[in-house]
Amino acid sequence: MSTPLYVDETGEGEPALVLLHGFAATHRAWDGVRAALGSGVHVLAFDLPGHGRSLDFPDAGPARVAAEAVCAVLDTRGIRRFHLAGHSFGGAVAALIALARPQDVASLTLFAPGGLGPEINAPLLRRLAVADSAGEVRDCLALMCGRGGASEAVVSEAMAMGATPRQLTLLTRISKLITRDGRQGVLPRDLLAALEVPVHVVWGRLDAVLPVRQTSDLPIRFSRHIFADLGHMLPVEAPEEMARILRRAIG
């Protein structure tokens, strides 16, 4: 039997809100967003395979493996209808879940998601994967954030992850998988356009990991939210603004 993913579940009610973090993060990346949403929302925030408390999940790396793993947990918990949100790598995972199970997804919110274009700052992600000092972590996160930078709490959380040697090994492996040949895999635009659920796409104009121009040819019915002063780390840079978008998505 496969090792289950770690999921931090709070609140109750349906549909639930499923939150999927980005590369080199954990469910804690959503702490500020969850606080801004308040206690009245049923939230399941995952540690994706190879991250945080899901280090033992086999074959960690590909977004499709992560998508299947999340779906298996939801099935086990009897959750058949849910809102779905993902950041960066977690955005690619969320999109794959929505494509595989459109009948189960009430809404899809993508925060600077992977997979909307081949361009990706592979050197920066690989540098973050091996960052093992506070200074190096801080420098990487400063490049990934907009004008506000990364808080010390965010730096400390990243350092806590890197304190586990096995975590660094897995992050290095995963970073190479998702930036093979310096490019990332691309989601099928025609299938995304065919989704009948509400879709919100959020991006920072100062994103140094995934260029904001990847939003330029999205389907017209997708709701686009572009923040002029934010970078790639949207949930930790501006949690209250991201919570407002999620409130709109989940009604």
Side-chain angles (χ1 to χ4, degrees):
M1 180 180 293
S2 296
T3 303
L5 296 186
Y6 176 79
V7 56
D8 189 73
E9 185 172 10
T10 53
E12 56 186 23
E14 300 299 336
L17 171 61
V18 174
L19 298 175
L20 307 178
H21 63 77
F23 171 72
T26 70
H27 70 281
R28 296 292 306 277
W30 299 103
D31 281 359
V33 173
R34 294 170 76 177
L37 284 172
S39 59
V41 181
H42 181 192
V43 174
L44 293 96
F46 284 79
D47 281 359
L48 293 175
H51 293 75
R53 301 185 191 182
S54 298
L55 292 185
D56 294 328
F57 197 90
D59 303 320
R64 193 167 299 280
V65 169
E68 291 171 354
V70 170
C71 288
V73 172
L74 296 175
D75 286 344
T76 298
R77 293 178 178 236
I79 296 174
R80 304 299 181 191
R81 183 77 171 163
F82 49 89
H83 297 281
L84 186 57
H87 170 238
S88 194
F89 175 72
V93 176
L96 289 175
I97 293 172
L99 290 174
R101 302 173 63 157
Q103 72 283 357
D104 297 336
V105 177
S107 71
L108 176 64
T109 306
L110 304 174
F111 298 95
L116 292 190
E119 302 91 349
I120 188 170
N121 191 337
L124 180 52
L125 290 187
R126 294 186 182 189
R127 180 182 170 188
L128 177 63
V130 299
D132 58 359
S133 70
E136 182 65 8
V137 169
R138 190 177 289 108
D139 288 347
C140 289
L141 291 176
L143 293 170
M144 297 173 75
C145 291
R147 294 194 181 98
S151 70
E152 284 305 308
V154 173
V155 174
S156 297
E157 181 66 24
M159 282 298 298
M161 282 190 73
T164 306
R166 185 151 176 264
Q167 177 69 91
L168 292 180
T169 299
L170 282 167
L171 290 180
T172 299
R173 175 178 176 272
I174 294 169
S175 69
K176 291 177 180 178
L177 283 172
I178 64 178
T179 63
R180 188 173 289 128
D181 300 322
R183 314 285 273 181
Q184 66 171 334
V186 179
L187 296 163
R189 285 292 185 100
D190 55 337
L191 297 182
L192 285 175
L195 286 173
E196 296 182 356
V197 302
V199 180
H200 294 259
V201 179
V202 193
W203 226 286
R205 199 169 291 281
L206 302 180
D207 195 323
V209 177
L210 300 171
V212 68
R213 64 176 174 272
Q214 292 181 359
T215 67
S216 61
D217 58 348
L218 292 176
I220 192 169
R221 67 176 189 81
F222 284 18
S223 297
R224 244 184 8 145
H225 311 262
I226 308 298
F227 290 83
D229 59 346
L230 298 182
H232 184 68
M233 304 295 286
L234 298 169
V236 298
E237 288 185 72
E240 292 184 357
E241 288 88 341
M242 302 309 117
R244 278 197 287 270
I245 292 169
L246 282 173
R247 282 195 205 98
R248 176 178 169 186
I250 68 179

